[in-house]
Amino acid sequence: MKTKMKHIEIALLPVLIFIFFSFTLKGKQNNEWKTPEYCKKLQNDVPCTKENLLLGKALYRKHCNSCHGEKGEADGIKATKLDSPPAKFVVESFCQQTDGEIFYKISQGRGDMGSYKKKLSKEDRWLIVNYVRSLEVK
Ligand code: HEC
């Protein structure tokens, strides 16, 4: 009986190792920050006027500058002190996202970035969405 158990354990070992590695590798490769479908379609009701962009800029400077940098290049003063680098906003992959996706990410936060659901009103978050969208891609 004892030897039979040993055989089973030995046979299971490679299986367990395989499962362990496939999970750790998957975690590393699949770092994409996914947004639920319904959030992608959220309507941005804050118009992108010059005045609103200035409001968005002031909010961005206060809350986001320190990590994401003045021009959205992920070079804020805190940027190098984080475990994971802050996102750049002036890249194509960022521009391809919908307003709803950006709004969702600001609201939720992830890793070093906290949630802004309670810190900022919905309107303030949309003002920031408009502002980060207005940053120029090089
Ligand atoms: C303490 C540093 C820090 C602050 C402050 C911060 N962020 Fe972030 N942000 C990050 C980090 C780090 C990530 C990458 C998170 C990840 O992918 O796990 C990130 C990711 C993002 C993303 C996702 C980008 C993408 O392409 O998926 C958006 C949008 C964003 N931040 C917007 C903002 C806005 C707007 C503010 C201000 C209201 C802000 N962040 C404040 C650190 C910060």
Side-chain angles (χ1 to χ4, degrees), residues 63-64 67-68 84 86-87 89 97 105-106 110 113 116 128:
H63 297 279
C64 325
C67 293
H68 291 283
S84 57
F89 300 140
Q97 302 189 47
K105 290 177 179 179
I106 298 172
R110 189 170 87 158
M113 178 174 154
Y116 285 89
I128 297 178

Side-chain angles (χ1 to χ4, degrees), residues 31-33 59-60 62-68 78-79 82-89 91 93-94 97 101-103 105-106 109-114 116 120 125 128-129 132:
N31 197 26
E32 200 189 330
W33 189 351
L59 287 164
Y60 179 88
K62 187 169 174 209
H63 297 279
C64 325
N65 234 10
S66 56
C67 293
H68 291 283
K78 281 195 203 156
L82 304 173
D83 290 338
S84 57
K88 280 189 186 182
F89 300 140
V91 290
S93 60
F94 182 76
Q97 302 189 47
E101 281 182 280
I102 301 170
F103 180 84
K105 290 177 179 179
I106 298 172
R110 189 170 87 158
D112 281 318
M113 178 174 154
Y116 285 89
L120 294 168
R125 278 175 269 154
I128 297 178
V129 169
V132 291

Side-chain angles (χ1 to χ4, degrees), residues 23-73:
F23 267 106
T24 43
L25 284 177
K26 207 177 163 201
K28 278 200 182 120
Q29 282 166 356
N30 200 0
N31 197 26
E32 200 189 330
W33 189 351
K34 289 225 170 97
T35 312
E37 281 307 314
Y38 75 95
C39 292
K40 285 186 186 169
K41 293 174 200 139
L42 285 176
Q43 181 81 28
N44 181 355
D45 290 324
V46 175
C48 196
T49 59
K50 201 175 170 192
E51 253 174 30
N52 278 347
L53 282 179
L54 286 174
L55 289 173
K57 185 178 184 177
L59 287 164
Y60 179 88
R61 291 211 163 183
K62 187 169 174 209
H63 297 279
C64 325
N65 234 10
S66 56
C67 293
H68 291 283
E70 203 170 318
K71 294 187 175 127
E73 286 172 345

